[in-house]
Amino acid sequence: MKTKYIYLLLVLAIISLFGCASSSLVQATSSFQKGHFIETETILKHFVETKKAKNDPAYPLMLLTLADSQFRLGDYQAALKSYDAAIKSMTLRISTVRTGIELLKNEQNRLYRGTPHELAFAHYYKGICYFQINDFEKARIEFTQARLADKGEKIGQENDITIIHFM
């Protein structure tokens, strides 16, 4: 009988953890939209450090939102780390088995890897972070990476983020 209650409590704990994760993400998005960047950072920082987050289809978006919150708070070093993680998660790694399996799946069932525009903006904001901490050479490199990422998926979409080309 006691084992049955322990099992029930364990199942309830697991269900509540899954519920907390999704509600935390909704809360983080809401906080970001309201301009509550400290709250957003706190929620997402905790979540992206979990193993579960790396398997979440929205992982790159979580990292980008975390980085944007840190950027807006002026924590450029933390933002650089989060942008790096976001760029890494959006960059297709052909050599991994998981990537090969993902390519075989129906497009709707694949892990989200971001768009060229999101990748371009990640490099752009990384460049601004480096500029803010007076590392102008790394800023120049990131702005170049942003221009390279601004290629679009269709004819007529390439080079359409004007601000990137001014940097």
Side-chain angles (χ1 to χ4, degrees), residues 40-138:
T40 304
E41 179 189 31
T42 303
I43 294 166
L44 288 177
K45 196 175 198 182
H46 173 72
F47 188 71
V48 298
E49 291 171 354
T50 65
K51 285 186 177 181
K52 180 184 175 195
K54 291 182 181 178
N55 293 324
D56 192 299
Y59 185 63
L61 290 175
M62 286 183 253
L63 290 168
L64 287 171
T65 304
L66 174 61
D68 287 346
S69 296
Q70 293 164 330
F71 176 85
R72 290 168 189 248
L73 291 169
D75 189 353
Y76 301 117
Q77 295 295 341
L80 283 168
K81 288 178 185 177
S82 296
Y83 283 125
D84 280 338
I87 289 167
K88 183 178 177 183
S89 72
M90 287 189 288
T91 305
L92 189 63
R93 293 175 298 282
I94 298 296
S95 62
T96 65
V97 173
R98 184 176 180 178
T99 301
I101 292 169
E102 286 296 317
L103 290 173
L104 295 175
K105 289 182 179 178
N106 180 342
E107 189 171 340
Q108 292 177 335
N109 296 327
R110 290 183 193 165
L111 287 176
Y112 180 76
R113 293 217 176 259
T115 66
H117 291 102
E118 288 167 334
L119 184 61
F121 276 114
H123 282 292
Y124 170 75
Y125 282 108
K126 247 183 97 177
I128 292 175
C129 288
Y130 280 123
F131 188 84
Q132 290 293 341
I133 60 174
N134 297 321
D135 194 338
F136 302 116
E137 184 58 27
K138 286 184 181 175

Side-chain angles (χ1 to χ4, degrees), residues 25-37:
L25 297 176
V26 170
Q27 184 181 3
T29 302
S30 175
S31 295
F32 185 83
Q33 291 171 344
K34 293 176 184 172
H36 301 152
F37 304 119

Side-chain angles (χ1 to χ4, degrees), residues 116-117 150-160:
H117 291 102
D150 183 24
K151 57 187 168 202
E153 296 175 352
K154 297 178 183 173
I155 295 175
Q157 287 184 337
E158 64 278 347
N159 303 319
D160 63 347

Side-chain angles (χ1 to χ4, degrees), residues 5-23 47 52:
Y5 287 115
I6 292 172
Y7 179 72
L8 181 62
L9 286 174
L10 183 62
V11 170
L12 289 174
I14 291 170
I15 291 170
S16 70
L17 283 175
F18 286 119
C20 289
S22 63
S23 67
F47 188 71
K52 180 184 175 195

